[in-house]
Structure formats: structure tokens, C-alpha cells
Amino acid sequence: MKTTIQIQNLKCGGCVSTIKNRISDLNGVHSVEVNLERSTVFIEHEEQLKDQEIKKVLQKLGYPEVGENNSLGEKAKSFVSCAIGKLS
């Protein structure tokens, strides 16, 4: 199954690295690609892994789906996730 999610707060390669690492850790994920220019995440995964589970992880990292609440707290989480991604 393939899922595409357009997200908010994607800024740089550090963000991309964090997203790829964390989504790849989910059980049933085969591949993860992130398009920085389009703020889009492409995930190939087993059918039992639901889109909502993926979106929940992205939101916890500070990258909510476009159209979802993007509070100051979400933006702050994305800066922390970005910094972690740059260090790894």
C-alpha cells in the first residue's frame, strides 16, 4: 500500500532525516521518501498499518498534516525534531 501525506513545518534535511527514521521504525513500513520542496511524505507499507497511525507519529514529531492544527507547540516540536535529525 502507498500513502502520501502533505505536512506542515518541514524546513530542511534535518527534518527529513528525523521523519524518515521515525516512520521507518513503524512495523509494516517498507520505504519512506520525503520531498522537501513539496512538504510531502511518501510511505510504502503493509495494509495493516493505517494512515492515521502514520499521521499520529508525524504530528508527535511536530509535522501535522496540511489542514490540521499547527499550533505554536507543533512548530516548536518540529524545531526539536529538526535539530535531532541534523545530529544523527
Side-chain angles (χ1 to χ4, degrees):
M1 182 172 200
K2 295 181 182 181
T3 298
T4 303
I5 303 169
Q6 189 171 19
I7 59 173
Q8 301 176 70
N9 305 330
L10 187 62
K11 297 171 279 306
C12 68
C15 299
V16 170
S17 177
T18 295
I19 291 168
K20 287 177 98 171
N21 290 335
R22 290 296 302 275
I23 298 298
S24 293
D25 286 344
L26 292 173
N27 191 27
V29 171
H30 299 294
S31 67
V32 180
E33 295 299 323
V34 181
N35 184 309
L36 185 59
E37 293 175 6
R38 294 191 173 138
S39 294
T40 312
V41 182
F42 305 96
I43 307 104
E44 189 171 337
H45 58 92
E46 308 263 333
E47 203 165 320
Q48 79 269 9
L49 178 61
K50 303 297 180 204
D51 293 354
Q52 286 306 101
E53 293 176 62
I54 297 168
K55 291 175 184 179
K56 187 176 179 179
V57 171
L58 289 168
Q59 181 136 15
K60 284 184 179 180
L61 292 171
Y63 306 102
E65 182 177 21
V66 168
E68 293 294 316
N69 184 27
N70 190 18
S71 67
L72 184 58
E74 298 296 330
K75 292 175 185 176
K77 284 191 277 185
S78 73
F79 279 105
V80 172
S81 293
C82 177
I84 291 169
K86 286 181 180 180
L87 296 174
S88 57

